[in-house]
Amino acid sequence: MDSNSIYQKSREEVLEVGEKYNLAEEKLEEFLEPDRVLEVKIPIKIDNELVNFRGFRSQHNNNLGPYKGGLRFHQNVNKDEVMALSLWMSLKCAVAGLPFGGGKGGIAVDPKQLSEKELESLSREYVRRVYEILGPQKDVPAPDVNTNPKIIDWMVDEYIKLNKNGEYKTNELYATFTGKSKKGLAGRTEATGFGGVAVLKRIAEKLKLDPQNTTIAIMGFGNVGYYFADFASKAGFKVVAVSDSKGGIIKRDAKGNFIPLDIPLVYDCKMEKGSLNGCYCAGGVCDMRGGQMITNEELLQLPVDILVPAALENVITENNMQNIKAKIIVEMANGPVTPKASHYLIKRGVFITPDILANSGGVAASYIEWEQNLKGKTYKKEDVLKRLEKMMKEAFENVWNTAEKENTNLPEASYLVALKRILK
Ligand code: GLU
């Protein structure tokens, strides 16, 4: 086994659970291998020169329905990573009880280095290169790291242009992508964060935590981290640290206690300055008093009640697991805790809510969007969020009850729920 392969590691992880619970080994082995991984060249013009990027789409498994999952634009995207991410999507859709399989794709690119025009060319060219394998009942992409509704809109537009022989009707063309702005779903943008907080509220209920006395540190202030922070503070939790890729912020009172951050103000400040540096906002004002910049590594090690990694994978590893002080981890990124670190922390009594449960609000909302498009309807935001809250609650209760029944932790129970549904 390639020890650096994140796909191999997650495969091993699932196999272990399969073995423990006597799940048909042959069927499981077959499931774990992605059905198809497409790798394509994406040539675009930059300053009059042709530059070739690499694009991927891993279609992992479609036992439960069309392949479903995001597209990420990041310099670290590679075949191994999309394979792992697509496996997690298969498991995630199953845990969420959705009629979807798993897929994931992306382009190896640092989008911050491209102009808007170049980004548009890249997005459109990607669709031209993978067109054949997409479709409302085949494979339905969505946003992921560094991709957003605007990028998805370009992709849909390109997809519509390619449908020359009229294979699909207009509503089906829109149903081929979720996370769009045009004909998109009201509430989809905030859905992952919203769903995560729906889970957080269930955890607080089960573990008898008082939100007013519960401190949270969140790594990542993109779409997922920001909305999680916002909904969590609105639900009364004390969000005391947030960070982006450049670092994070905390604020303390004279006694050294954490002061909860004012998330909307922190957001406005970051938008204005381009970074979180100096955005020490609390109680309606931003000032320097008690403010401190911290590194992402320091954020992970803060003495808070709940730690929420909401950026990229592999941030809690064998190198820093001993220093984690939080008693609860809510995985809002995909794969933020490595299997080894996860086992270690669980043994130490840390309560981990796995990604495939905690961040499934995004794909659950994508399901509602897909349904909306196929039915030719437009759903209201309040109805969407109500339905989403109910879906998250059901997914959580199911995993919780399985964990109680099997006398195990939530990560293992989530795998068990997912695998039973997929292998049936
Ligand atoms: N990229 C998100 C995820 O990792 C959403 C996927 C989707 O909506 O298809 O779950």
Side-chain angles (χ1 to χ4, degrees):
M1 177 174 123
D2 171 2
S3 62
N4 290 320
S5 164
I6 159 167
Y7 166 70
Q8 290 300 342
K9 276 187 206 156
S10 36
R11 193 174 176 281
E12 292 300 314
E13 181 82 349
V14 178
L15 277 174
E16 261 173 47
V17 176
E19 214 170 285
K20 179 166 168 192
Y21 293 94
N22 284 322
L23 302 177
E25 200 182 327
E26 219 171 85
K27 262 184 161 175
L28 184 57
E29 294 263 3
E30 201 212 312
F31 155 73
L32 285 169
E33 191 70 23
D35 288 345
R36 157 157 64 179
V37 187
L38 183 61
E39 178 171 347
V40 293
K41 169 174 86 179
I42 313 170
I44 63 159
K45 276 241 166 87
I46 295 182
D47 301 330
N48 270 325
E49 247 177 67
L50 206 61
V51 180
N52 289 314
F53 290 92
R54 287 321 270 183
F56 303 86
R57 184 72 184 168
S58 170
Q59 297 185 323
H60 181 261
N61 181 273
N62 61 357
N63 280 8
L64 296 176
Y67 303 105
K68 185 81 193 84
L71 293 171
R72 67 170 57 176
F73 289 0
H74 193 275
Q75 53 275 26
N76 295 348
V77 165
N78 59 58
K79 188 175 167 187
D80 181 71
E81 189 195 56
V82 292
M83 279 167 67
L85 287 161
S86 67
L87 160 60
W88 297 337
M89 284 311 299
S90 291
L91 299 167
K92 189 187 299 185
C93 292
V95 169
L98 306 174
F100 283 144
K104 189 72 111 196
I107 303 176
V109 60
D110 178 1
K112 291 183 190 98
Q113 306 296 324
L114 298 187
S115 69
E116 170 135 338
K117 269 254 132 306
E118 291 156 358
L119 198 60
E120 179 173 348
S121 306
L122 188 74
S123 309
R124 288 179 180 276
E125 192 57 38
Y126 176 84
V127 171
R128 286 200 283 274
R129 305 268 161 169
V130 302
Y131 172 73
E132 292 299 331
I133 66 167
L134 305 182
Q137 303 297 346
K138 283 199 256 177
D139 185 348
V140 182
D144 197 78
V145 174
N146 292 336
T147 48
N148 54 37
K150 192 182 201 175
I151 291 175
I152 299 293
D153 283 351
W154 290 328
M155 292 188 169
V156 177
D157 189 58
E158 197 58 36
Y159 191 71
I160 291 174
K161 283 188 198 157
L162 291 165
N163 180 51
K164 285 193 205 84
N165 56 7
E167 189 186 348
Y168 295 117
K169 294 190 214 113
T170 306
N171 63 325
E172 291 172 328
L173 292 167
Y174 281 98
T176 302
F177 291 83
T178 60
K180 317 168 281 283
S181 64
K182 197 173 167 196
K183 293 196 191 288
L185 183 78
R188 173 63 185 86
T189 305
E190 53 268 56
T192 313
F194 177 86
V197 173
V199 166
L200 173 71
K201 288 194 263 180
R202 297 274 86 71
I203 299 170
E205 209 176 271
K206 300 279 187 197
L207 305 183
K208 303 198 169 36
L209 302 175
D210 171 13
Q212 309 282 342
N213 288 320
T214 305
T215 54
I216 305 183
I218 304 172
M219 178 186 189
F221 207 58
N223 176 265
V224 178
Y226 162 66
Y227 279 112
F228 188 98
D230 195 39
F231 285 114
S233 4
K234 282 184 185 136
F237 291 90
K238 290 162 108 176
V239 177
V240 298
V242 295
S243 71
D244 61 18
S245 59
K246 292 180 211 104
I249 48 167
I250 50 170
K251 207 171 156 89
R252 293 182 197 267
D253 64 17
K255 287 190 198 140
N257 298 320
F258 291 125
I259 305 176
L261 298 168
D262 189 324
I263 299 303
L265 279 190
V266 171
Y267 181 81
D268 290 346
C269 170
K270 177 180 158 133
M271 283 300 126
E272 201 182 297
K273 294 191 181 180
S275 104
L276 286 167
N277 200 342
C279 294
Y280 308 124
C281 311
V285 286
C286 304
D287 59 28
M288 301 308 276
R289 265 177 307 159
Q292 189 191 334
M293 273 306 280
I294 54 171
T295 63
N296 271 300
E297 206 44 58
E298 284 166 337
L299 181 139
L300 293 172
Q301 301 177 21
L302 286 176
V304 290
D305 299 307
I306 304 184
L307 183 60
V308 184
L312 290 170
E313 60 262 22
N314 285 351
V315 294
I316 300 175
T317 67
E318 280 165 278
N319 299 330
N320 58 4
M321 61 190 187
Q322 268 114 346
N323 305 328
I324 303 298
K325 296 178 195 74
K327 280 270 161 282
I328 297 171
I329 296 177
V330 181
E331 297 185 347
M332 289 304 292
N334 290 313
V337 186
T338 64
K340 276 220 174 104
S342 182
H343 287 309
Y344 165 84
L345 290 166
I346 288 170
K347 237 192 204 148
R348 227 185 60 191
V350 176
F351 182 93
I352 299 187
T353 313
D355 50 2
I356 58 172
L357 172 64
N359 74 24
S360 66
V363 73
S366 277
Y367 167 72
I368 304 175
E369 179 174 342
W370 179 75
E371 181 197 275
Q372 167 188 273
N373 292 137
L374 289 179
K375 289 189 175 166
K377 293 196 170 156
T378 308
Y379 297 150
K380 280 202 212 99
K381 185 164 164 177
E382 53 177 286
D383 296 336
V384 170
L385 294 183
K386 224 183 258 163
R387 194 170 155 190
L388 189 58
E389 176 117 32
K390 190 164 165 264
M391 289 164 91
M392 297 306 293
K393 188 175 174 184
E394 275 168 19
F396 181 84
E397 290 296 334
N398 197 0
V399 171
W400 179 271
N401 293 339
T402 305
E404 286 210 317
K405 192 173 140 221
E406 302 292 346
N407 191 21
T408 187
N409 50 68
L410 294 200
E412 194 169 291
S414 302
Y415 278 155
L416 194 58
V417 167
L419 292 174
K420 280 194 175 159
R421 284 181 177 156
I422 294 166
L423 302 178
K424 200 157 86 184

